[in-house]
Amino acid sequence: MSRRLPIQIPQSVEEIDAAWLTQVVRAGGLVESAVVVGFRTGSPGSGVGFQGQTIRVSLDWDTDEPDAPEAVLVKFPTDNVGNRGLAEAEGSYDREFDFYERLSADFPVRVPRLIHAARDPGPSLASRRRRERLVDGLPAPVVRFIGRHARKLVRPSKRRYALVMEYIADARVTTATDLPPAEDLSAILRTLAEMHAHFWGDPRLADDSLVEWSMVTQMPNVMHGLYRAWRDEVVEREQGVFTDDLMRHADWVGDHIVDLVAHLNEPLSIRHGDCRTDNMLFTDAGLVMIDFGVAGSGRPAGDVAYLLSETIPPGPGARATFLRLCREYHDCLIAAGVTDHPLDEFLTDCDIVLAVQAYRVVLIEAAFEADYDGQSLAHLWGPRVRSLLSDALPGF
């Protein structure tokens, strides 16, 4: 049986046409008879994607209808073969589809309206998990070999994915190369607390048909095979980034990878998973969350410490600022009604996540082709993460 749907699913700007745009906007219920007679493509004006392509498409209609959008966002997988293979291995494209199709209608924070979603069928949840257990259980030398050659061995599928969503016009965003103003950071923390509290202890989190994806990784041993395969080379190449302090925490994560992943994956709530400031849009009507390609369930510190690890300027006061903002978030979480997540437990989780961030900086430098305006993510994020780390390893 064919695994491709018998419909058009464009995978690049060149494959978009006016007929397809008309069809999907009509299917989304925004127009009845209007026809797209012209369109122009451009960048979305926010964010940098390493796992996907996000395109703003401005639309010209043959007639006026009140809900006909002036522009939409279209998302495809990345055309970088290595990045796409790694993204599919962790379900990045399916995660975003699942979020919009299953959770966005009951989300307490504004997200772009879903207009159209189409993806070719993938493996069932049961077969995917069997494969993950098989691969993750391979002998350590084999897993290390896979890690060393992950960009070549983890090949992308031939599945097609396309999301068409509302375009949020006149939004303000802080890119990852910059640091957000304090009021923006506080607004994001309040919003994260609202989101986490809304789903706290929700029985749907245990429903595999609704929330298939946990956080951090589906295959911790494979992830650590990648780390072991590249660690020494990465450190030797970028000694100014991968300092002894950073690597002490990163190596600690490696020594406890399976237990730490299981701990952070505990499904206390829904997590955004990629809480960079360029995934948070500020509008006159309030904050809008975008990009749910790493969404899943887990402990809330994974969102909070991730956000803060990339938004606090390095310096002697960075650690104190980090702890103050963690407490600010926790106060918001309590105010939103969560009473069974003590502050000391949350702060320990935040230190664990910082150590995981140090570990992830190594993985990003080793495996992903990703930079901002020519600056590698390791150079950008490494010093920020390092300045927040506690002198002592987390008390896990």
Side-chain angles (χ1 to χ4, degrees), residues 88-311:
E88 282 193 311
E90 290 293 346
S92 293
Y93 307 123
D94 286 313
R95 286 177 193 251
E96 188 155 35
F97 274 81
D98 289 350
F99 169 79
Y100 277 105
E101 293 175 346
R102 303 174 183 179
L103 295 171
S104 62
D106 179 37
F107 206 65
V109 181
R110 183 184 172 190
V111 298
R113 173 178 172 175
L114 176 64
I115 297 172
H116 175 77
R119 53 178 160 170
D120 287 320
S124 68
L125 174 62
S127 64
R128 194 187 76 231
R129 289 192 171 167
R130 283 196 301 270
R131 182 184 62 196
E132 289 168 352
R133 287 193 296 269
L134 173 65
V135 174
D136 206 46
L138 292 171
V142 178
V143 173
R144 182 167 180 166
F145 178 84
I146 292 173
R148 183 68 187 180
H149 303 283
R151 290 187 62 85
K152 294 180 180 178
L153 294 175
V154 184
R155 305 303 296 170
S157 75
K158 296 184 182 299
R159 293 176 66 195
R160 300 167 300 165
Y161 312 80
L163 281 173
V164 181
M165 296 179 295
E166 171 191 12
Y167 173 65
I168 308 295
D170 301 321
R172 176 174 55 81
V173 66
T174 301
T175 68
T177 55
D178 300 316
L179 296 168
E183 58 270 23
D184 283 5
L185 204 48
S186 291
I188 296 171
L189 291 172
R190 289 194 302 273
T191 301
L192 288 175
E194 179 185 359
M195 178 187 76
H196 294 148
H198 180 80
F199 289 102
W200 197 266
D202 193 316
R204 292 176 295 177
L205 299 175
D207 183 353
D208 283 344
S209 67
L210 188 68
V211 183
E212 293 186 19
W213 306 95
S214 55
M215 297 307 303
V216 188
T217 180
Q218 308 294 119
M219 295 178 287
N221 288 318
V222 171
M223 183 171 78
H224 196 49
L226 176 62
Y227 181 88
R228 291 197 306 268
W230 288 96
R231 179 214 184 270
D232 293 346
E233 181 176 325
V234 164
V235 172
E236 179 66 25
R237 186 169 69 229
E238 299 288 353
Q239 296 182 27
V241 174
F242 299 102
T243 63
D244 290 344
D245 285 345
L246 186 87
M247 295 309 300
R248 183 164 63 93
H249 285 77
D251 289 342
W252 175 82
V253 171
D255 291 341
H256 302 87
I257 187 68
V258 174
D259 291 339
L260 289 175
V261 166
H263 176 72
L264 294 177
N265 281 348
E266 185 180 358
L268 299 185
S269 187
I270 290 295
R271 278 189 48 199
H272 180 279
D274 194 13
C275 282
R276 305 196 316 258
T277 51
D278 52 359
N279 287 334
M280 309 288 164
L281 307 181
F282 286 86
T283 72
D284 291 342
L287 188 147
V288 183
M289 284 189 177
I290 62 172
D291 285 354
F292 289 86
V294 198
S297 60
R299 286 180 164 259
D303 279 339
V304 177
Y306 181 110
L307 170 73
L308 298 179
S309 73
E310 298 172 2
T311 54

